[in-house]
Amino acid sequence: MRRPALALLTVLCLAGCTAARPLPEARVDVAAPRPVGAQDPAVIPSGAAAPPGSCDPRASLRPSGTLPAPGRMPGGSTMARIAERGRLVVGVDQNNYRFGYRDPGTGDLVGFEIDLAHEIARAIFGDPGKVLFRAVTTAEREQAVQSGAVDIVIRSMTMTCDRWQRVSFSTEYVSAGQAILVAKGSPIKGLQGLAGKKVCASTGSTSIRNVATKAPQALPVSAADALDCLVMLQQNQVDAVSGDDTILAGFAAQDPGTTVLPDRFTEEPYGMAMKKESPDLVRFVNAVLERLRADGTWARLHHTWLTALGSTPQPPAARYRD
């Protein structure tokens, strides 16, 4: 009886020892997922139909006299139709820190461009809250205006001669310039350092074309939203992000591990985009901007939201083509 018991004990011991033996380590390298819509390599837009220098992109339509009183828009005007609808519909960004983003505490859209939209609503209705915001991507901005999905796009949109062929712009409300964002300690110090490096910019932006032109040895990558480019930089999927210095400054504030290189290599004047068929709305918006420059509202909003860009400058001077 002792031999079978001893044999059983041996089997159980071996089974137990075998079960306790650690499994060999297995490593599986999983690449970080790319943001939806990211293109590597990027598709570079074809050359502009209206090349730079063929117009003054900052020159808009002159206001028609004084502003009408809120709630008393001229009959038959675009503003009257907006007033009858009861809301101004504005295409904005919801991921651009300081310009247009969601307050993490309230969930409300806030920022410099959001407040500009409120001021236009105030001029039409007498109530700054009568705005319906619609989030649009960089690539969707023109189509949103042309289709009538929005009345105005206020979304860090550079005025160019090419874009003037398809939409109209207000006068300039912010002067920006293209720059480069990198991780602190990066060997990239400027445009020359981008050779052979992956550089991310927004799809449909002037930035992606400028990267291809100004740094032809770079490897352009595009993403649907500039914030996606920051994520790709954080995940080491790209070596740098290029875009307007105003936007990149917001990224650097959100991620202290990044820095904006000091050189600006383009001029990027921001204007509000509207339908070509609504020149009365363009003139009205320009009259509102004239008032915001004159009464100190522009300076107050700049001080509230954009002090990280430096001391509050004089607002961009209005230019007109008529």
Side-chain angles (χ1 to χ4, degrees), residues 184-273:
K184 286 183 176 178
S186 169
I188 299 171
K189 304 301 179 186
L191 281 171
Q192 298 302 317
L194 296 179
K197 304 295 185 181
K198 290 191 175 185
V199 187
C200 187
S202 299
T203 304
S205 67
T206 54
S207 299
I208 193 70
R209 185 183 294 145
N210 289 339
V211 166
T213 302
K214 303 283 186 179
Q217 302 305 312
L219 307 175
V221 177
S222 66
D225 192 281
L227 189 61
D228 293 335
C229 287
L230 175 61
V231 172
M232 295 176 78
L233 178 65
Q234 292 168 331
Q235 295 179 342
N236 297 317
Q237 296 185 54
V238 297
D239 303 291
V241 176
S242 190
D244 299 346
D245 57 347
T246 50
I247 297 173
L248 299 184
F251 290 168
Q254 292 170 290
D255 184 350
T258 65
T259 186
V260 182
L261 301 183
D263 292 339
R264 296 195 333 177
F265 51 91
T266 67
E267 292 185 356
E268 307 293 331
Y270 290 172
M272 305 180 193

Side-chain angles (χ1 to χ4, degrees), residues 43-69:
V43 176
I44 307 302
S46 58
S54 61
C55 76
D56 179 355
R58 289 179 167 89
S60 186
L61 304 180
R62 191 176 298 275
S64 301
T66 59
L67 276 169

